[in-house]
Amino acid sequence: MRHRITRRDFVGGMLVSTGLSAFATLPSASAQASSSDHFVSPPLRTGMRGSHPGAFEAAHALRDGTLQEKEIKDTGEVYDLIVVGGGLSGLSAAHFFQKYAGADKTVLIIENHDDFGGHAKRNQFSVNGHDLVLNGGTLEMESPQRYNQWASMILSDIGVDIEAYKKENTKTGKTYEDMGLQAGLFFNQEGWQRDYLMRKSQNQAEDHWRFLSASALKAAPLTDKAREDLIRLVNFKQPDYLAGKSLSEKKKLLATKSYKEYLLNVANIDPAAAAIFQKAAAGVFCVGADALPALFAWAMGYPGFSGLGLGELPEGLLSDLQGGQHGRQKDSEETVHFPDGNATLARLLVAHLVPESTKARSQDDMGLASFDYTKLDQPGEPVRIRLGTLALNIAHDGTPETAETVSVLCAPAGEEAPRRISKVRGKQVVLACWNMIIPYMVPTLPAAQKEALAYAVKGPIAYVNVAVKNWRAFKKLGISEISCPGMFFEDVQLAEPASLGGLKAPTDPEKPIVVRMIKTFGMPGLSKRDQHRAGRSVLLGLTFEQFEHEIRQQLQRILGPGGFDADRDIAAITVNRWPHGYAYTYNSLYDPLDWVFTETSDRPCVKARQPFGRIAIANSDAGASPHTDAAFEQAHRAVVELLERQTFPFVSAAPGASTL
């Protein structure tokens, strides 16, 4: 582990001289044309990505109140709509606006990152002549058959063909299964006496849960009691740990008790056995079993509930609440994962909004499509996407009831003390950014709305993608994904064997592939929102070099027995850092039960998303759900609110009485 691969070592995922920087800040549209020889397409950039350096410094200065007054340059630009935020919600807001108001209407999308798509990020590598991609953020479309009508409309409009995609991937979809590769659990010596990789048992006749079964646990580094407790926990005929309570009482208790507490104090399993579940659902909620309601764990299929007589979770229950309630709906096998996750959706949206930016048009085209970033912000085009730019202040040009335009002050996102502040105007504005920054951008909002906007604390998470030259070690060890509850990264997974058009799934262990590693930042002992705040601070304090050290040592410990050599086999590393990651979802351990299980208007997300004059709010926070369909649905609502106000100007600019 003595050889380090830094962000300076790669351009487009290919090894080059360390004297050539591949991590230059995205130049402005005008500058790109004159510096194209040095420009690296954002998906090809390695090192620290996600919320990358240069994306948030001005935002932190805005939050801290350290921005100093500068001379403001009025650009004279006036748009029919300005969208703040170029993620899936912002891009779809632009799409809905043009669809309803007219294709000739002008739209400016302002995005602080150097790429479009927000959390729907694409990571791309070229290793030994092989093109590889993987999601750097939003993973997949969960249960698209249950999508709301507006999300379904978006998919139809941009040409998403789920059935064609599934047909294309029928053969390769079971690549790992056909090779005999299984899920595995890694016991690390720090928590379980010795390092041990346990594979899922091949005996399907015995009671099991994922990788846990009596035969698989035989050689695990556990005490007899811990092993027996785990076998009992996954048994399909467990005791009723809540005997004597009614069904209603059982479910309420499970809704208000954490899964960790349930395992330890209700199911009474050994702490060493319970530690296997310490990261339960962390990839969904960004907190572990200590902050996961036991009722959620039951709904998600975690073990320990078969004897309680809870019945079956009715099909669709909890899944059809507005925007979907992430992780609480019954699991569905109908997930759709494009090779780069939902970045394919963002790329299709941009191809429709700014057709000059790419020759690609169809779903299959997106596999290997290239985008000309100099074409995203061109004068005279109906839709312009302005990257690397932060909206600092948004104010009506007059009162919210009478103003005909809204002024938006902008600055380079990466400057703590911006040297250039420009003003653009929009006849309407959609805020498709994070709720928590909106009170700083729009200081004239009502105090109660600011408070509601501040309630949603987004969950921090890191998606790390490691391009390796081969995956022989995975094949030799017989594993395709490994749960590592006691290590720095809790999940290590081979990229899904997915193809899209000219981009072909990796199916040969001798060839390169991308390995996904996931880390969440739960802080047990705190409330969910406080865990998110504390975890964000930890994530922002980690350097690329620290991530790289952890990547190398963890892969070496797990895969070394299979012949893996970190120095030899790692080709490139991209760390997707998301300190403001998943939208906050209501949690019955900390939030009122009606916020969690109903669509009540008392929820902070409903109070926060109320329109304010010519300003409407769209984003996944507005639906209290990180689902992609929630982002689309909230965009539609925001656009309709603006168009209703435009069509019926006698209606109040804010909730309340009519202006007549």
Side-chain angles (χ1 to χ4, degrees), residues 1 551-561 564-566:
M1 305 203 212
I551 291 163
R552 288 177 171 279
Q553 69 89 18
Q554 186 163 340
L555 289 180
Q556 193 63 49
R557 285 174 68 176
I558 297 172
L559 302 175
F564 178 83
D565 185 301

Side-chain angles (χ1 to χ4, degrees), residues 333-505:
E333 297 299 322
E334 292 297 316
T335 59
V336 176
H337 171 80
F338 290 112
D340 59 3
N342 288 351
T344 288
L345 304 183
R347 286 155 66 84
L348 281 167
L349 277 162
V350 171
H352 280 71
L353 292 168
V354 192
E356 292 299 313
S357 65
T358 181
K359 295 180 180 178
R361 292 292 180 270
S362 71
Q363 174 175 284
D364 281 351
D365 289 345
M366 292 302 141
L368 293 174
S370 61
F371 282 74
D372 184 347
Y373 282 71
T374 68
K375 303 292 187 184
L376 293 177
D377 189 5
Q378 288 291 307
E381 293 299 318
V383 179
R384 301 171 67 172
I385 301 176
R386 191 159 295 168
L387 301 175
T389 302
L390 181 78
L392 298 175
N393 184 273
I394 300 168
H396 289 92
D397 298 320
T399 66
E401 291 77 16
T402 61
E404 295 186 357
T405 58
V406 178
S407 287
V408 180
L409 303 186
C410 305
E415 298 180 3
E416 292 184 13
R419 297 183 299 274
R420 310 181 307 277
I421 295 181
S422 59
K423 178 192 289 187
V424 295
R425 291 183 178 86
K427 298 176 183 177
Q428 321 256 18
V429 172
V430 167
L431 300 180
C433 48
W434 305 329
N435 268 9
M436 63 181 301
I437 198 174
I438 292 175
Y440 300 99
M441 290 179 170
V442 193
T444 54
L445 282 170
Q449 188 169 5
K450 288 182 182 180
E451 182 180 358
L453 286 161
Y455 190 86
V457 182
K458 299 173 83 70
I461 191 168
Y463 278 102
V464 173
N465 292 331
V466 183
V468 296
K469 297 173 184 176
N470 64 75
W471 40 293
R472 290 191 293 261
F474 284 88
K475 178 68 167 63
K476 184 175 180 179
L477 294 171
I479 51 172
S480 58
E481 57 178 302
I482 311 105
S483 178
C484 314
M487 299 192 80
F488 186 84
F489 295 100
E490 56 252 40
D491 284 298
V492 177
Q493 310 162 349
L494 285 175
E496 292 80 355
S499 299
L500 185 62
L503 184 68
K504 299 305 179 183

Side-chain angles (χ1 to χ4, degrees), residues 55-66:
F56 57 82
E57 287 79 0
H60 284 185
L62 176 64
R63 174 201 64 193
D64 298 337
T66 58

Side-chain angles (χ1 to χ4, degrees), residues 536-588:
R536 179 189 313 138
S537 179
V538 171
L539 175 53
L540 286 171
L542 291 170
T543 66
F544 176 80
E545 289 73 21
Q546 288 172 307
F547 270 108
E548 182 185 0
H549 171 78
E550 297 292 345
I551 291 163
R552 288 177 171 279
Q553 69 89 18
Q554 186 163 340
L555 289 180
Q556 193 63 49
R557 285 174 68 176
I558 297 172
L559 302 175
F564 178 83
D565 185 301
D567 288 342
R568 178 194 65 210
D569 295 334
I570 293 178
I573 297 171
T574 300
V575 176
N576 297 282
R577 172 181 63 183
W578 299 112
H580 302 276
Y582 290 170
Y584 183 80
T585 55
Y586 299 119
N587 184 305
S588 55

Side-chain angles (χ1 to χ4, degrees), residues 32 129 141 146 166 364 496 582 601 607 614 628 654:
Q32 287 179 35
M141 290 185 285
R146 292 184 181 144
K166 288 163 61 176
D364 281 351
E496 292 80 355
Y582 290 170
S601 296
K607 296 178 180 179
R614 291 178 175 267
T628 290

Side-chain angles (χ1 to χ4, degrees), residues 187-196 220-223 226-227 270 272 557:
F187 293 87
N188 60 306
Q189 64 179 3
E190 295 86 352
W192 291 277
Q193 291 83 52
R194 62 186 172 91
D195 284 356
Y196 176 69
L222 296 165
T223 65
R227 186 178 294 105
D270 188 274
R557 285 174 68 176

